[in-house]
Amino acid sequence: MTAVDNEPITFDLDAAEGFLRMFHVAHPEAGPVGPRLSRVRDEVAGTGTYRHTPEELSYGARIALRDSGWCTSGVPWRRLKVRDLRGFRNAAAVAGGCVEHLRLAGNGGEIRPLITVFAPDGPTAPGPCIWNEQLIRYAGYPDGPDRRLGDRRYAAFTDTVRGMGWQPPEARGRFDVLPLVVETAHEGARLFTVPPDVVHEVRLEHPELPWFGRLGLRWHAVPVIANMRLSIGGVHYPAAPFNSWFVGSEIGARSLADEHAHGAAREVAEAMGLDTSTERSLWRDRAVVELNRAVLHSFDLAQVTITDHHAESLHRLSWLRSRQRPAGNRPAFRLDPGAARRARAGGPARFSPHPVETTRPQYPGRLAELLRRRAGT
């Protein structure tokens, strides 16, 4: 067996059978489940795992996203596009697939929900993993004259990738895009620059405050969650990035306003002339409201898909009333403790005891171009 995060990979045949029965109930055109179960049992007996058909993979990924709660309102989960890249195990290929995911999902502002599935864990060859929490995240700089520069949530991650060879821009900014970190068992952790042409950002302005645009705030358009493990019928896909679209308050309240992230609430409040000497003035609340208004206004102005937190609250209540209860054989997205630590601290590496490879960022644009030509897009 291969150790991953210091835990052996084991196979759950009951989960496979439960999922396949579920799939065949939903897809009667696939025929009776018995012959498929027999083939899977033989495959597991011979290899220690089995391979999903493209139809099974698509169904499992869609159900996992639907049931996870990450599917924002308005997303037609039955029509989510599933990109089957299970043959991609090398870091450069995975990075190129992620770049193409961003390109396709951006879709000129009309965000297209996608899931890209890379190679699974297996008894002899564990799948790759992506360290980043999202494919696009901004650096945080805890050192230097301005300790408030950038996104403080990723200050430790920024330090780690700098130690691995990433060079931030000579003039550091508040919105410097971090490199992708892709780790494989045979290559270690490698860095890849995210090409600027797939980083679609929206510059923020306010519908009523003309000075707001001069603050220089902006945010990326596509939230691609990258570090969750997709589990389908006993098979685990550690790299399966997926996206829907942003809820405005995720950007305005959580990422921009929060003192532990970009900390822009005070800056906005001071520009509004509010009393920031005491919390009882509720300056922070007023600033957050205006940040959220600016986000929704700017995304709408740029014709980039976004939803607001009121619509999302209604959607979430409906989801809670109708969702399936967790079961071992249902497809799911899961965040492993090690993956959560890597996303914020930049370690520890998934494949212990292999050392993290020190390398300069690589530009995957050429690979993405080849993939795009092959797909005929």
Side-chain angles (χ1 to χ4, degrees):
M1 286 295 184
T2 302
V4 177
D5 283 335
N6 298 320
E7 294 183 4
I9 297 174
T10 57
F11 189 80
D12 186 348
L13 189 57
D14 289 339
E17 294 193 10
F19 166 70
L20 292 171
R21 293 183 186 281
M22 176 182 171
F23 172 80
H24 279 259
V25 167
H27 294 81
E29 71 279 5
V33 70
R36 176 59 174 151
L37 287 175
S38 179
R39 291 193 298 272
V40 166
R41 292 189 192 103
D42 291 343
E43 193 174 349
V44 171
T47 67
T49 187
Y50 73 106
R51 181 177 174 84
H52 291 123
T53 66
E55 294 77 16
E56 290 165 356
L57 179 70
S58 294
Y59 175 73
R62 289 166 179 154
I63 292 297
L65 186 55
R66 183 198 68 182
D67 292 353
S68 69
W70 288 95
C71 199
T72 49
S73 60
V75 173
W77 64 269
R78 289 182 179 85
R79 298 196 301 273
L80 290 176
K81 181 175 176 56
V82 179
R83 301 177 66 229
D84 184 356
L85 301 185
R86 286 177 288 174
F88 288 25
R89 289 188 176 275
N90 292 336
V94 172
C98 290
V99 168
E100 188 65 6
H101 184 121
L102 284 167
R103 197 184 311 278
L104 293 169
N107 195 34
E110 188 177 350
I111 306 302
R112 179 184 297 158
L114 296 176
I115 303 170
T116 299
V117 184
F118 296 107
D121 285 333
T124 59
C129 75
I130 302 165
W131 287 18
N132 308 64
E133 187 174 55
Q134 291 190 25
L135 294 185
I136 300 176
R137 292 277 86 171
Y138 295 115
Y141 302 107
D143 58 344
D146 188 352
R147 292 176 177 270
R148 299 173 61 84
L149 191 62
D151 194 330
R152 299 172 190 81
R153 295 173 296 181
Y154 303 102
F157 190 96
T158 302
D159 278 348
T160 297
V161 296
R162 288 175 66 188
M164 295 168 66
W166 179 65
Q167 295 293 330
E170 185 175 345
R172 297 179 188 176
R174 302 171 73 175
F175 301 100
D176 297 339
V177 176
L178 287 163
L180 293 179
V181 183
V182 181
E183 184 184 359
T184 65
H186 59 286
E187 297 168 294
R190 300 180 64 187
L191 304 183
F192 298 87
T193 298
V194 180
D197 67 301
V198 298
V199 184
H200 183 185
E201 294 178 309
V202 176
R203 294 185 179 276
L204 302 187
E205 55 185 77
H206 194 279
E208 297 169 3
L209 304 174
W211 48 262
F212 196 98
R214 294 194 292 273
L215 297 177
L217 301 176
R218 63 180 189 263
W219 205 256
H220 61 95
V222 188
V224 186
I225 299 172
N227 68 334
M228 298 187 77
R229 171 170 55 92
L230 172 60
S231 298
I232 303 175
V235 179
H236 303 296
Y237 301 92
F242 63 92
N243 73 278
S244 55
W245 43 71
F246 272 119
V247 179
S249 57
E250 291 181 49
I251 301 171
R254 292 178 57 189
S255 296
L256 290 175
D258 196 327
E259 291 290 337
H260 299 290
H262 280 266
R266 184 178 295 274
E267 183 180 2
V268 172
E270 290 174 349
M272 292 173 65
L274 303 180
D275 177 11
T276 59
S277 65
T278 172
E279 295 292 343
R280 291 182 69 84
S281 70
L282 301 184
W283 63 266
R284 199 182 302 273
D285 305 69
R286 295 174 65 184
V288 169
V289 168
E290 301 310 327
L291 275 164
N292 285 335
R293 290 185 67 198
V295 168
L296 293 174
H297 168 76
S298 301
F299 271 64
D300 287 345
L301 197 64
Q303 297 183 318
V304 174
T305 311
I306 196 168
T307 188
D308 64 83
H309 58 281
H310 294 291
E312 194 58 27
S313 295
L314 294 175
H315 166 71
R316 189 57 55 93
L317 287 172
S318 176
W319 173 78
L320 287 170
R321 286 191 293 266
S322 63
R323 73 187 179 106
Q324 296 286 339
R325 297 305 170 192
N329 59 5
R330 293 191 69 84
F333 280 99
R334 296 185 173 88
L335 181 61
D336 299 323
R341 289 194 300 272
R342 282 188 287 274
R344 292 300 176 93
R350 182 184 184 220
F351 300 109
S352 300
H354 299 297
V356 173
E357 178 182 335
T358 300
T359 181
R360 295 281 180 181
Q362 300 183 37
Y363 189 87
R366 175 59 179 162
L367 178 60
E369 177 66 22
L370 291 173
L371 294 174
R372 189 162 60 255
R373 290 179 180 177
R374 179 179 297 178
T377 59

